[in-house]
């Protein structure tokens, strides 16, 4: 079953960005670093989904470049899929452009891939596999 997994939000400071959610009484996870993506992140559960706050750890990270170009804000939408390998194969066979041809492992050990915004109505779309 496909579900909304999280919304990724690019921020310059996790500490500053977390404050509004803490003031609302939401729980914020401990920060986690994903060296391959050069980001530090926290997850904030909201109902059946989560907000993912992403802070760059390097000036050459994708998040730093995004903030430099567009400022802080919504970076990506993430869908949970039942079989990521099958979804990626189908998208590739249908000519969908992916950011990376390989499935990667990120925060929490989740397997993921990004669909290029040019193939998703201008939205950076992340797909993660359920059950991990």
């Amino acid at each position: 079953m496909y579900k909304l997994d999280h919304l990724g939000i690019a921020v310059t400071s996790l500490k500053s960005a977390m404050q509004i959610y803490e003031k609302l009484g939401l729980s914020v996870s401990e920060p986690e670093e994903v060296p391959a993506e050069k980001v530090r992140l926290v997850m904030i559960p909201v109902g059946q989904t989560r907000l993912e706050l992403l802070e760059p750890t390097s000036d050459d990270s994708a998040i730093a470049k995004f903030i430099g170009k567009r400022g802080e804000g919504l970076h990506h939408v993430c869908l949970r899929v039942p079989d990521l390998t099958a979804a990626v194969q189908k998208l590739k066979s249908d000519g969908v452009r992916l950011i990376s041809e390989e499935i990667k492992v990120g925060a929490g050990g989740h397997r993921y891939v990004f669909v290029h915004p040019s193939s998703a109505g201008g939205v950076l779309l992340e797909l993660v596999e359920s059950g991990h």
Side-chain angles (χ1 to χ4, degrees):
M1 179 187 324
Y2 287 78
K3 291 185 175 181
L4 180 62
D5 188 80
H6 67 267
L7 300 175
I9 301 169
V11 301
T12 55
S13 165
L14 284 180
K15 186 176 179 181
S16 295
M18 292 178 346
Q19 291 177 3
I20 184 65
Y21 303 104
E22 291 171 332
K23 288 175 183 175
L24 288 169
L26 296 170
S27 61
V28 177
S29 73
E30 287 298 315
E32 179 178 352
E33 195 157 326
V34 181
E37 296 291 344
K38 301 177 186 175
V39 297
R40 184 176 306 107
L41 63 92
V42 295
M43 289 290 195
I44 305 167
V46 182
Q48 298 298 309
T49 191
R50 301 172 294 170
L51 300 177
E52 177 185 50
L53 303 182
L54 299 152
E55 173 189 81
T57 58
S58 171
D59 290 341
D60 67 344
S61 72
I63 294 298
K65 291 175 185 173
F66 176 89
I67 291 170
K69 191 174 183 180
R70 296 191 176 92
E72 292 181 300
L74 184 63
H75 178 260
H76 66 271
V77 173
C78 180
L79 297 179
R80 191 177 323 145
V81 302
D83 183 340
L84 184 58
T85 301
V88 167
Q89 287 173 347
K90 170 138 180 45
L91 293 176
K92 284 181 180 180
S93 70
D94 288 345
V96 172
R97 184 174 171 198
L98 303 176
I99 297 289
S100 168
E101 294 297 310
E102 295 178 11
I103 294 172
K104 297 181 181 181
V105 177
H110 288 80
R111 297 173 67 228
Y112 71 96
V113 70
F114 281 97
V115 176
H116 196 279
S118 65
S119 291
V123 173
L124 180 59
L125 182 63
E126 180 182 11
L127 303 176
V128 299
E129 193 165 74
S130 58
H132 290 269

